[in-house]
Amino acid sequence: MKAVLCKSLEGPDALEMADLPDAIPGPGEVAIQVTTVALNFFDTLITRGKYQTKPTLPFSPGGEVVGRVIATGAGVEDFAQGQRVLAYIGYGGCREQAIAPAARAVVVSDGIADEAAASIPIAYGTALHGLEDRGRVRAGDAVLVLGATGGAGLAAVEVAAALGAEVIAAGTSDEKLKLCADRGAAHLMNLTDVDVKEAVRAIRGGKGPDVIYDCIGGPYAEPALRGIAWGGRYLVIGFAAGEIPKIPLNLVLLKGCDICGVFFGRHVDTDPAAFRVQMAKLLDWCAEGKIRPHIDSVFSLDETKDAIKALDARTIKGKVVVRP
């Protein structure tokens, strides 16, 4: 099979095409003939050794795949050859055949396109776990999404809207924010040259959001927290702005709020049954049109480095996918 390999931690330019033996699943695993791989911002980091997960070299980028089961390992009873599945694998997806733990795979109905299904596990799974489990979002809550114009943020906008929240989408591009409005955001906020705290508070007549879903960190985190509603929940998703914020803990006291980490990978490891329930819910929402993954670009397998470089350049709206 053909595979894209990261042999050194020098970023996407160092990726190489290689021929590898066909995938053979071990106990509790399935082998998948990959039709689509979805990429994420963390693929720009993992290829540089700057992500929290550090695979042994060489490895393939790409953390979520869709395809057909071609073989099952010992002990796997839930899947059969030929079934169409999506799987959350973390890395190892940018190849013609991938191995996935059976506990991280679910069957996909034929009514959902490959590109949409592949885009669901990480961004939408993180959003549902973060907003529902960690943020305790209820219908009518106001949810501020920082970094709403990226793939993770746009997924959070859609999931929050599906949960009945009043969504405030914040980003740095008016053009990209228009897509958030199309996906259910009630309010749009360009973070460029604004007082984030006052802008957040002004939207709701001084009250502030009940939940903040922060994909970017950096200089926006503390002022956004200062504008949160009493008893709010601040969800830490990632640090796409580059800087990991240092939050004064007196703000947590004064706001009576919670700061909650959202670590989707650990959640899946700890509770794989919950992961499969959440994937089924998201796939149902996708089939019903409640969530509509926006596919910005589709690349071939040998264009994987260009796909990751596009994520690096921050020019993407929604998701980037690779089709082997």
Side-chain angles (χ1 to χ4, degrees), residues 158-173:
E158 291 189 81
V159 170
L163 292 171
E166 177 186 355
V167 183
I168 307 159
T172 56
S173 164

Side-chain angles (χ1 to χ4, degrees), residues 131-143:
L131 292 167
E132 199 167 51
D133 297 340
R134 304 293 285 152
R136 308 185 302 280
V137 170
R138 300 176 296 273
D141 280 350
V143 175

